[in-house]
Amino acid sequence: MDLHESAGVPGAAGDTGLDPRTRIRIDLFLARRRAGPGATTLKILALRERGRAAGMNGAEMMASEAGDSHDAKASACLAYVAALLAHPGAPPLEALRRMHDAGFRPSDIDQVTGLVAADAEIYRDSRRTP
């Protein structure tokens, strides 16, 4: 058993619940929020390259950066990420219900929650480093 798996870290130990495009959408949204509107960082450029490799087009990636998508399931996921950012530790029940109704399993929802928590922790730690 992998250390992360035994520690209960969502998304660790090869959990493949989220498809690559969903993970890229989440990463793009979080990276854009950190960079601010109009700023292009190396991370965003790298994520866009990953998105193109995964078959995403420019409009799809730009919508993801803005927290939206033409795909209902992706839109529900990004709305959930936004809700987690707005309400750390206690996502609104409506956001959870929307994720479930869009077809996400509880393990998928846990993985999204873990990704957002890990991003917040990394961001918090990077601000402490002189």
Side-chain angles (χ1 to χ4, degrees):
M1 178 178 285
D2 183 284
L3 177 62
H4 288 103
E5 184 179 40
S6 64
V9 176
D15 181 355
T16 58
L18 297 177
D19 65 272
R21 287 182 179 198
T22 299
R23 291 191 64 135
I24 292 167
R25 284 183 182 104
I26 294 167
D27 290 343
L28 279 167
F29 179 55
L30 293 171
R32 171 55 58 211
R33 287 185 54 105
R34 299 287 182 231
T40 302
T41 65
L42 291 176
K43 181 174 184 172
I44 291 172
L45 293 173
L47 287 167
R48 288 178 184 166
E49 184 60 36
R50 283 182 43 212
R52 281 189 287 282
M56 298 171 73
N57 64 37
E60 191 175 5
M61 289 185 281
M62 294 302 284
S64 294
E65 288 180 33
D68 198 10
S69 177
H70 67 279
D71 177 79
K73 188 172 182 177
S75 182
C77 181
L78 293 173
Y80 180 70
V81 170
L84 286 172
L85 295 171
H87 308 280
L93 288 177
E94 182 57 36
L96 284 167
R97 186 174 297 113
R98 187 172 175 202
M99 284 285 281
H100 179 268
D101 292 348
F104 287 97
R105 298 171 302 174
S107 61
D108 299 333
I109 296 169
D110 287 346
Q111 189 174 5
V112 172
T113 303
L115 291 170
V116 174
D119 179 78
E121 190 171 320
I122 289 167
Y123 180 70
R124 201 172 25 254
D125 288 347
S126 70
R127 294 187 56 122
R128 289 186 201 144
T129 305

